Amino acid sequence: MTDHWIIAEGLVKRFGNTMAVSGVDLKVRPGTVLGMLGPNGSGKTTTVRMLATLLKPDAGHAAVGGYDIRTQPHQVRQLIGLTGQYASVDEKLTGRENLVLIGRLLGLSRSMAKQRATELLAQFQLEDAAHKAAKAYSGGMRRRLDLAASLVGRPGILFLDEPTTGLDPRARLNLWTLIHELVRQGTTVLLTTQYLEEADHLADDIIVIDRGRVIASGTPDQLKARVGAQTLAVKAGREVDLPAIIELISELVSGAAEVEGLQVSAPAASPDLLPAVVRRLDAAGIVPAELMLRGPSLDDVFLSLTGRHAEADSDAETTREPPR
Amino acid sequence: MNAPEPSPLPAHVSLASGLQQTFTLAWRTLLQIRHNPWELGDFSIQPILFLLLFLFVFGGAIAGSTEDYLHFMLPGVIVMNMMFVTVYVGHGLNTDLTKGVFDRLRALPIARWAPLAGRILADLVKQAWSILLLLAVGFLLGFRLGTSISALLLMSLLVLTMALAVSWVMVLVGVISRDPEHVQLFGFTALFPITFVSNVFVPVDTMPGWLTLAVSLNPVSSLADASRGLLTGGPVLQPALWSLGWALAITVVFAPLSLRALNRRLGRS
C-alpha cells in the first residue's frame, strides 16, 4: 500500500494571522521512530494534532497508515494512539477506570476491557496506584498512564507529543525504556521533543522544525555531525589532581582544554578520545569525580543551523488554551 | 499489531456503537461522583437546604402556614434546582476541554457526538435524582399529591425536557469560558435572576405591575406553574404548552450556537 506509514506533504495551519505550520513535509517508515525536534512554538504540536485528525490542515495533505487524514479520519483514528501535553486522562477517575473507559469506548467487552487495563497497569508499573484517582499521580506516573491510555487499542502508529517534558531524569529514563520496548514490538512512532538527547536516544530519523518549517533532516548521527563535536568533561576528585588532568587532556586534544573550577573540558572531535583519557588517567593513578561525554544540545543544533538560539516563538505556540 | 488491516477499516461509527459510547461516557461522568462525594452533596444537600430554608423562614409570612407554602413552593423548587443542576453540563464540558480529555476522546474512533451526548445524558440522570430527592423530602415534610402518579411522572418529564433545552445554553457557557470556575460564575450569575424573578417562591399577584410582565414571561414561571398544576391540581395545559414552547425555542437558538462555538474552539487550538 505504501512504504511509509505517516506521510505529510506541504502541511499548513494558520491561526488567525499566525502561521503555526507553514509547509511541513515528513515521512515515517514502518516500525521506525521519527523525532521531530524543535523549540516551543515551532509548530510541532500543531503538526501532530493535524496528523492525529484533531485539526484540519489549511493546505497540504497527509496520510496515516495509508488513509487520508482529511477524508478518512475515522479510519486513521482506528490505527493511531496519541499521547500529548493535551490528550489527557480524566483526573477524577482512577488509573484503572481510565483504561477501562477507553477499552469500553473502543468496543471491548467489560471483561476484555478490564483484562486489558490489568495488562497495561502491569506493563507500566502502575499496579500500586491502580485504584488511586489520577490527580494524585506524580508527573512520571501521569505520563505513564497517558501512554498506557493511548495503547489500549494496540495501535500500530503512535504519536508522542513531548512525552517527557517536565519529568525528572529518572522518570524520563523509565519512559524511554517503555517507548523502546514498544518500538521493538513493531510500533511506528512520531515523537516530538525539545531535547536533542531524547531524539538521539529514541529516533531513527530526526527532522528539525523551526517557525513551522523543517530546516534539517537526517539520522541523529548525521545531524550531530553537522552540529559539531561532542564535549569531553573530566572533574577532578581532589584539587591536587587538577594540574595533571589539565596537562593530560591538553596533550590529547592539542591544547584546547578549558578549566572551570575542578572541571576540565575539551571538544571531543575523535571517538578515540574518551578511551585514551581513561587509559591515561588510570596509568597516572588518578580517579576522577566525574567523567563524561556531553553531546550537543538542541540549542547547539539551532545555533549551527539558524544562527539563533532555540527560544520559544511565544505567539506561534498552540497550547491547550485557545488564544483569545 | 504491525500492519494496517488488509481489509479496509470501517469508515463510520454505527448508530448502535455511538449510543453504546454515549452510555459509556455518561457512566464515566457518574463514576466521577463516586470519587468526589462533595459533588453529590452539591446537587443533593443544596436543594434540600433551599427547601427547608424558604419553607421555615418565609413560609409563614408568604402563605400563612408552612404546610400551605410547601404545596406552593415544592414544584417551584424542583424547577429552580433543575436550572442550577444544568451548570454541571458546562462545568464538566469545560473541564474536559481545558484538561485535554476532550482531545483524547476525539482522537478515538468513536462517534463525534458521543462525548457531548454522554455528558448531557449523565446530567439528565443527575436531574432525575434531584427531582426524586426533592419529592421524597417534600413528602416527609407533609406534601400530599393532589393529582395522580401519572401526573407526577408527566411533571418529571416536562422538567427533564426543559433541562435538556437549558443544557444547550450551558454547553455554550462551557465552551466560551476560560476555565471551570468561570463556568460557575457565568452560569450562576445568569441563573439567579432568572430563577428568582419568577413565581417559584412568591405568587405573581403580590408583585408590582412592571415586574409581573417579566415574571409571567419567564420560562421558569410557566414551568413552575405547569409543575404545580401537575402535582397539586389546577390549570396545566396553558403553562405546559408555554414551557414546551420555551424549551423548543431555547434549543433551536442555542444548540446551533453551542455547536458552532465548540467547533470553533476545537479548530483553534
Side-chain angles (χ1 to χ4, degrees):
Chain A
M1 180 169 14
T2 165
D3 298 338
H4 295 93
W5 275 12
I6 307 174
I7 304 177
E9 281 164 359
L11 278 188
V12 170
K13 186 71 198 177
R14 264 178 237 101
F15 296 118
N17 294 326
T18 312
M19 285 291 259
V21 174
S22 41
V24 162
D25 301 325
L26 60 84
K27 287 179 175 178
V28 191
R29 289 172 289 128
T32 66
V33 180
L34 176 70
M36 192 191 258
L37 182 66
N40 257 334
S42 53
K44 306 186 299 290
T45 294
T46 304
T47 304
V48 168
R49 289 175 66 87
M50 285 191 278
L51 292 172
T53 76
L54 293 179
L55 270 183
K56 287 213 187 321
D58 291 322
H61 44 91
V64 174
Y67 290 100
D68 189 303
I69 57 162
R70 221 194 279 258
T71 58
Q72 300 169 304
H74 186 64
Q75 288 92 324
V76 171
R77 288 179 200 123
Q78 292 168 69
L79 299 172
I80 62 167
L82 172 65
T83 298
Q85 307 145 287
Y86 43 85
S88 192
V89 296
D90 186 337
E91 292 187 338
K92 288 184 183 171
L93 300 189
T94 67
R96 189 182 177 78
E97 287 165 348
N98 266 297
L99 298 177
V100 172
L101 169 72
I102 291 176
R104 295 287 289 154
L105 287 174
L106 292 174
L108 299 183
S109 69
R110 215 174 291 259
S111 61
M112 287 288 285
K114 283 182 181 163
Q115 191 190 326
R116 182 74 183 128
T118 307
E119 280 168 29
L120 285 167
L121 289 166
Q123 188 182 345
F124 288 81
Q125 305 134 44
L126 289 168
E127 285 153 309
D128 294 341
H131 296 287
K132 269 195 220 160
K135 66 177 163 225
Y137 281 26
S138 70
M141 287 159 67
R142 179 62 188 271
R143 297 300 176 88
R144 296 207 298 275
L145 180 60
D146 276 344
L147 186 54
S150 60
L151 295 174
V152 174
R154 302 176 198 275
I157 300 168
L158 198 56
F159 294 102
L160 300 174
D161 191 30
E162 303 204 9
T164 68
T165 298
L167 292 186
D168 61 62
R170 211 180 109 185
R172 170 171 300 164
L173 217 58
N174 189 325
L175 215 63
W176 284 359
T177 311
L178 292 167
I179 294 168
H180 256 310
E181 180 56 26
L182 291 170
V183 175
R184 204 186 55 77
Q185 292 167 4
T187 309
T188 304
V189 176
L190 175 61
L191 164 97
T192 79
T193 181
Q194 299 184 39
Y195 310 114
L196 181 62
E197 192 195 357
E198 181 159 283
D200 187 16
H201 194 90
L202 293 172
D204 299 290
D205 298 290
I206 295 180
I207 58 174
V208 181
I209 184 165
D210 177 40
R211 297 180 175 176
R213 279 174 207 288
V214 178
I215 55 168
S217 59
T219 65
D221 288 337
Q222 287 168 345
L223 207 68
K224 282 186 293 180
R226 272 181 74 172
V227 173
Q230 294 178 303
T231 304
L232 174 87
V234 181
K235 194 169 181 183
R238 301 174 300 169
E239 205 163 354
V240 290
D241 292 337
L242 195 58
I245 293 175
I246 296 173
E247 192 191 323
L248 171 162
I249 289 183
S250 302
E251 214 171 288
L252 284 170
V253 299
S254 49
E258 256 179 61
V259 186
E260 203 188 320
L262 288 181
Q263 184 167 298
V264 186
S265 55
S270 139
D272 306 336
L273 182 65
L274 185 64
V277 169
V278 172
R279 277 194 301 272
R280 294 284 295 268
L281 285 170
D282 193 38
I286 297 170
V287 181
E290 265 176 39
L291 177 65
M292 62 173 177
L293 208 49
R294 183 177 69 76
S297 65
L298 173 63
D299 201 49
D300 298 328
V301 175
F302 256 74
L303 206 56
S304 77
L305 289 172
T306 66
R308 291 184 292 114
H309 283 283
E311 348 170 290
D313 289 352
S314 56
D315 55 0
E317 175 64 324
T318 59
T319 58
R320 63 170 83 125
E321 274 298 309
R324 58 190 59 241
Chain B
M1 67 182 277
N2 274 352
E5 271 82 308
S7 61
L9 296 169
H12 297 286
V13 188
S14 70
L15 182 65
S17 308
L19 287 174
Q20 175 69 52
Q21 291 149 7
T22 301
F23 286 126
T24 302
L25 286 164
W27 161 78
R28 164 226 164 195
T29 303
L30 297 173
L31 196 60
Q32 290 179 336
I33 301 172
R34 219 178 70 190
H35 303 291
N36 301 274
W38 55 265
E39 212 178 281
L40 189 67
D42 242 17
F43 60 86
S44 304
I45 296 169
Q46 193 177 293
I48 295 174
L49 279 181
F50 260 113
L51 187 66
L52 297 177
L53 194 81
F54 276 86
L55 184 60
F56 292 113
V57 177
F58 299 122
I62 295 174
S65 79
T66 50
E67 207 197 307
D68 286 346
Y69 191 52
L70 178 64
H71 285 82
F72 177 79
M73 73 162 331
L74 182 66
V77 170
I78 289 173
V79 172
M80 179 193 77
N81 189 60
M82 173 276 287
M83 297 291 280
F84 288 150
V85 170
T86 58
V87 176
Y88 285 100
V89 173
H91 189 267
L93 177 64
N94 187 276
T95 307
D96 282 356
L97 286 169
T98 48
K99 300 274 182 184
V101 177
F102 211 78
D103 277 339
R104 157 86 65 204
L105 297 177
R106 286 203 306 140
L108 293 175
I110 61 173
R112 300 294 89 192
W113 44 269
L116 202 55
R119 169 88 31 219
I120 292 176
L121 179 65
D123 184 64
L124 289 181
V125 175
K126 290 181 191 174
Q127 293 282 9
W129 162 257
S130 292
I131 294 174
L132 199 70
L133 193 72
L134 278 168
L135 283 172
V137 175
F139 281 118
L140 281 179
L141 290 170
F143 185 83
R144 292 294 165 260
L145 192 62
T147 52
S148 61
I149 294 291
S150 46
L152 186 148
L153 289 177
L154 215 57
M155 184 277 310
S156 308
L157 215 58
L158 195 62
V159 171
L160 290 180
T161 306
M162 185 65 92
L164 198 60
V166 179
S167 293
W168 284 113
V169 183
M170 288 304 154
V171 168
L172 184 64
V173 173
V175 170
I176 62 177
S177 299
R178 196 172 339 130
D179 52 41
E181 286 69 35
H182 279 81
V183 176
Q184 275 179 321
L185 193 71
F186 292 150
F188 287 119
T189 308
L191 286 180
F192 263 106
I194 294 174
T195 47
F196 280 88
V197 182
S198 74
N199 62 15
V200 164
F201 293 109
V202 184
V204 191
D205 49 33
T206 62
M207 299 177 193
W210 58 270
L211 196 59
T212 319
L213 184 67
V215 170
S216 42
L217 281 177
N218 188 342
V220 173
S221 299
S222 350
L223 188 57
D225 271 341
S227 303
R228 245 175 236 130
L230 285 165
L231 289 184
T232 61
V236 169
L237 191 63
Q238 201 192 347
L241 286 178
W242 269 107
S243 306
L244 288 174
W246 269 114
L248 188 68
I250 292 170
T251 308
V252 165
V253 172
F254 281 94
L257 274 181
S258 303
L259 292 176
R260 217 177 58 182
L262 180 61
N263 283 330
R264 200 181 311 150
R265 175 164 180 165
L266 293 174
R268 211 167 38 179
S269 49

